[in-house]
Structure formats: C-alpha cells, structure tokens
Amino acid sequence: MKISQSYNVDKKGFYGEFGGAFIPEMLYPNIKELEENYIKLTSEINFKREFEQLLKDYVGRPTPLYYAKRMSEKYQTKIYLKREDLCHTGAHKINNTIGQILLAKRLGKTRIIAETGAGQHGVATATVCALAGINCVIYMGELDIKRQSPNVARMKMLGATVRPAISGSKTLKDATNEAIRDWINNPVDTHYIIGSVVGPHPYPDMVARFQSVISEECRYQLKEFEGREYPDHVIACVGGGSNAAGIYYHYLDDPRVNIIAVEAAGQGIKTGKSAATSVLGKIGIIHGSKTLLMQTQDGQITEPYSISAGLDYPGVGPMHAHLFDSGRAEFISVQDKEAMNWGLALSQMEGIIPAIETAHAFSILDVRKFEKEDVLLFNCSGRGDKDLDTYIDYFKL
Amino acid sequence: MNRIIKSFKGKKKLLSIYFTAGFPNVDDTVDIIHNLQSSGVDMVEIGLPFSDPLADGPTIQKSSATALNNGMTTSYLFNQLIKIRDSIEIPLIIMGYFNPILQFGVEEFCRKCNEVGIDGLIIPDLPAEIFKEKYSALFEKYQILNMFLITPQTSEKRIKFIDKVSKGFIYMVSSAATTGAQNEFSNLQEEYFKRISKLNLNNKLMVGFGISNSKTYKSAISFSDGAIIGSAFIKYIEDNDIDSIKNFIKKIKN
C-alpha cells in the first residue's frame, strides 16, 4: 500500500486507471457542463448554506453515532454504528439527491431523471423534486417495479412518473441505460441524478462529495466517544458504493484506518448467482466509467444477483475499483443467508431493523477477529422497512 | 489508399448502411454485405452487438439482443469476414461499443480488422481525447481509420478538435437523440446541417440517425457528403428476405 498516494479523483476524472468519462458524443455537452460547474457551484457559500440547512432541518442531520453495547460485548471489540438509517426517506441516498437538486436548480434545469433499483434512490429523488417543485421521471426495471411495489407507490405519491425499463433483464442496469438514453434525447433542460458513485466523471466524485458528510460527522462524533477522530476499521457494504464512499471519504488518505468493503456474494461466488464484483469482475466500461464489472469473456455485461436489490449491480464505482486494485481496502463478500441472519441479529441485539444491503456489512464480524481495543465504524446505511416482505418470506414471520 | 477515403473521391453522395451482425440470423452477415454491394450501396457499417447499447433506440437494442442470443461474438464475426475481400470492394466499417473491443484487446482488434480488410471503426463511447492519447498510434499502425460523432449540441471548438482527430469522415448525428427512424427533418435540423457544412472541415460529412426514407435521405445528402441508414434497414430485414434488399435501397435512392 502506497501511503503517499491519493485515493481521490485526479484532474482527468480517474482514480488510478479507473473512472473517466466513456460516453457517446451526444452526452458530451451535458457531462462537460456538469464537470465545469460542480466544484465551482457547490463551493459557493450560498450553496453550502442551503445544502447544510436542508440536511439539518429536512434530512435530520447530523445522524447519531451509536455505540452498540451488546454487539460490542458479544464480539469483544468496540462497535459504532453511523445511523444513516435515520435519514428522511430511510437511507443515506437523500444526502446526494439534496445536493444534486440544488445543483440542478443552479444550472437552470427544469426536469429531473433518475434510475432506481429497489426504489430507494427513486424515492429520494422524487422527494427532493417535490421539495423543489421540479418535474421528475424515474426509470425502474419492469421486474423491479413488480418486486418493489411499495416504493413505486411512494414515488407516485410524491408526484414522480415511474417509467418501466423493458430492455435487457429489466432491472437496475437497464433502468440506468434508459435514463442515459433519456438524457441523450433531452440534453438541454434535463439533469440526471445518478444514485451512486458510478457513471461518467464527474458523477463518482460529485456523489462521493455529497455523501462525505457522513465521515465528516463521524470524525467529531468519534472524538467525543473515543478522544480520536478516526476508527481502526471503517466498514460498509458496496454495491455501486455510495454509502461506502461517504463513510470512507475523510479516512481515505489516513493510513491508520483500515478500510473494509463488503460485497454481496448472492447464493455463492461460484453459483452464477452473485454480485461480488471484486471477485468476479474484470476491468471494462459500464455506464460511461472504466471500472471492475461482471462480464462475459466477450465483453458483454452479465446479470448480477443478490437478495438485496441495492447491491444487485454488475459493476462497482471506480473509486472502489481503485481501493481494491491498490490494496488500500480489504474486500470480502458474503452470501444472502449470512446477510439475512444479520438482519435478524441486529434487530434483536440492538433493536435496529436494517436494510438487507446494510446487513451485509456486519457479516465481517463472523469472518474476522478484531482486537478488544479496536474501534470499528459501521455505516448503518439504511433501514429495513422496504425489505419487510423479503424478511417475512425468508423467516416465515 | 484506404477504401473510405477513395470512396469520397468521386462526385456522388454516398449511401452507407448499418446492420447488426448476427441479426436476424447469426450467419447472415456475408449475405447481407453482398446484397448491399450489389444493390449499389457505397459503404457498409457492420454493427458489433453489445449488451448495453447506450446510444441506441429500441430497434438496434432489439437487433443487438437477438444477435447476442443467436451466438454472435467478436471472434465469430471476424471468422465470418475472413474471405470477404475476395468479393467485396466497398469500404467496410465496424461500429461497436468500446467494452467488447477492450476485452478482445484493442491492438488485437485492429490487427484482425487489418487482416480481414476492415477500413475503419466507429466506437461511439470512446471519446476523442482518450483515443488520441492512447490508441491513435495503434490505429495508424494497422491502417484503420477512426470516425467520430458530432451532434447539434457540439460546440464549434470541439467540432474543430474532432475534425483533427477523425480520419475518413465525421459522423454528423442528425438530432439530439438515440438512433431511430424519423419521417422528416425539421427546419432546425436543416439549419444545423447547413451550419456544419459551412465550417469547411477537413473531413467529409456523413449524416446519420433518423434517416428512414427517400425524403430524409435526400434532405441529408443535400448538405453533406452522404447519409447513413441503420434502424430503418434493420426493420426492413426483420420482415423481408435478404434477397430483397435491393428493393429497399431502390426506394431510398428514388
């Protein structure tokens, strides 16, 4: 591990060899406009003020940092949970959509599009569009629409139009393709709110910056508990990787912090039903970004599988590909059943029902032994309300 | 001389046809190219199918998915094309997204193109900057031209940059849209064609996207050096015999 290296994006939009903007020329003006403006506009004092105010009054930030006493006793180490599940709409996703809607307004955009898998990002986008009074179209795979009907209803209640993606496998990957095609067809008035640290530069960096409020708060909150701003291990689940990017952000270049990423192995790495990109992926291009992705030998993108729709993505953000490739982060993958058991365990040990995505992260405790004095910082990225049907089916509740 | 450059030497406007390799049947590729040449088509773009064609509308999405289901792969396509130059004289271009080419190996892909007699590539999601920095030397080594796209939103400054990097022609996308057939062009689109033709670029201009009939074809070529038809042709061969391709071409040119 090269400590002097920066794990953030470089001037050309790359993290090491990952990232960039591999986009059709039709998208060039849109991406260029964003690239030229995102740092400038988000650094303006009135932007920051409005962003912080909304995060405080509307989202409910800062979210608590909670010392999980019973878990800590059981696993003989110090476990802290960053309670992103307490954000308005139930997950960290809204940190990003608040940031992007403010940016879209400043760019004079009058229409918002977004992709969604399980519907969490769709709901977070529909929410901020209602807040801003802006027209909103959400692309969602036809299959996901059927699987996640409560979130579809929420988006509709919030005033969004939900359009089914009927191409390909009719899931998140295809919803993303449809959103990109919409943007090609509506280049002037529309802003595309991507939900994770994926897509062409500047999206991975922009979304990571909006999510970085998570680790920014952790620093002073940990200091109050532990007398130091950093944990020994920071742990998050990774699909595209936005909650992970947010909680890693201020610790990326701090060699005292061990970074752990937990991916979804689905039914098992070798079963063909998995979403563990760091194990199964190869470098390639997906949705305009050079990163690790699951593909055939011939370069066709393959379908991932995970019981949690939020981790069901065939790629991983370029920041994470770089963290993996450089050895800066430790990647593990856990199966559906381990994650589901943690959903139940966290509920009964700490009284917190996590999203299935979030539940994956805790599985590290079963595979890795930590020291008694180690400080572990988990991103408790989302709550499990949206997953109740899956929990009910699985545990016959 | 590269066949693409040579084909622009005459006075006439060019008609180029795009089709997806492996559609409607996996082994139609050579047959389609023969029929296109004998129908008087000036250039052919062979589409290398991709699972996630971002810049394409429903017709090409569907033909790509069918082609992949039929078993089309990069190696399979090159094998089909091994003897193509025994009988085909018109320029042949491969149009495909970057990831399959990257997985094949960019150098190996160029080498294979050279070997079977492909004259150029169009890779919509490989930006001109990255091409120039990383791959232009390889393309030169194997004498493969690379063509780039411009759209109504492309700034004049960028058009001039693309003109420098492009070899062969510039692919002028008719509107801010994914691929797909249109019945006619608007005044705004014609204004755009005129604006670009007045820039006196080094490269020839081919108009593509939205050309579906003789009306849009004529309109496109009146401001450019030629036109490219994709989706409308794919719809045609979905419903008609490959032997009847000449009827489609006749109708367009008429």
Side-chain angles (χ1 to χ4, degrees), chain A residues 12 21-22 25, chain B residues 98 106 123 125-141 144-148 157-167:
Chain A
K12 287 183 172 174
F22 292 82
E25 192 59 35
Chain B
F98 192 40
V106 180
I123 310 170
D125 59 343
L126 176 62
E129 290 81 359
I130 294 175
F131 169 75
K132 186 171 170 247
E133 193 186 312
K134 285 197 143 175
Y135 302 113
S136 59
L138 271 184
F139 278 57
E140 262 170 49
K141 180 175 167 191
I144 305 296
L145 305 187
N146 195 22
M147 276 117 335
F148 288 94
K157 190 179 155 206
R158 184 157 175 85
I159 291 174
K160 295 207 161 136
F161 169 68
I162 286 172
D163 190 35
K164 271 192 197 139
V165 184
S166 248
K167 300 258 171 66

Side-chain angles (χ1 to χ4, degrees), chain A residues 216-328:
Chain A
E216 196 182 313
E217 289 171 5
C218 287
R219 287 210 294 194
Y220 69 76
Q221 289 172 322
L222 262 181
K223 179 134 194 177
E224 279 175 28
F225 282 104
E226 290 290 333
R228 57 168 155 121
E229 291 183 333
Y230 64 96
D232 297 298
H233 305 272
V234 58
I235 302 147
C237 65
V238 172
S242 70
N243 91 81
I247 201 156
Y248 298 164
Y249 197 87
H250 288 90
Y251 302 121
L252 284 172
D253 295 324
D254 185 340
R256 296 170 298 190
V257 182
N258 181 40
I259 296 175
I260 299 173
V262 183
E263 289 186 310
Q267 296 181 4
I269 298 287
K270 289 177 183 161
T271 61
K273 283 185 165 271
S274 178
T277 309
S278 70
V279 185
L280 299 167
K282 275 190 311 176
I283 191 163
I285 313 280
I286 182 169
H287 298 136
S289 180
K290 192 176 199 181
T291 187
L292 293 172
L293 65 125
M294 291 166 54
Q295 52 185 316
T296 65
Q297 207 181 353
D298 214 38
Q300 309 297 342
I301 300 172
T302 53
E303 275 312 311
Y305 165 82
S306 164
I307 195 165
S308 79
L311 302 181
D312 201 355
Y313 185 70
V316 63
M319 172 202 272
H320 299 300
H322 182 49
L323 291 176
F324 172 73
D325 189 61
S326 63
R328 173 68 183 99

Side-chain angles (χ1 to χ4, degrees), chain A residues 25 177 181 283 295 300-301, chain B residues 51-53 56 99 103 158:
Chain A
E25 192 59 35
N177 290 340
R181 290 182 186 119
I283 191 163
Q295 52 185 316
Q300 309 297 342
I301 300 172
Chain B
S51 55
D52 295 76
D56 286 300
N99 196 47
Q103 301 312 319
R158 184 157 175 85

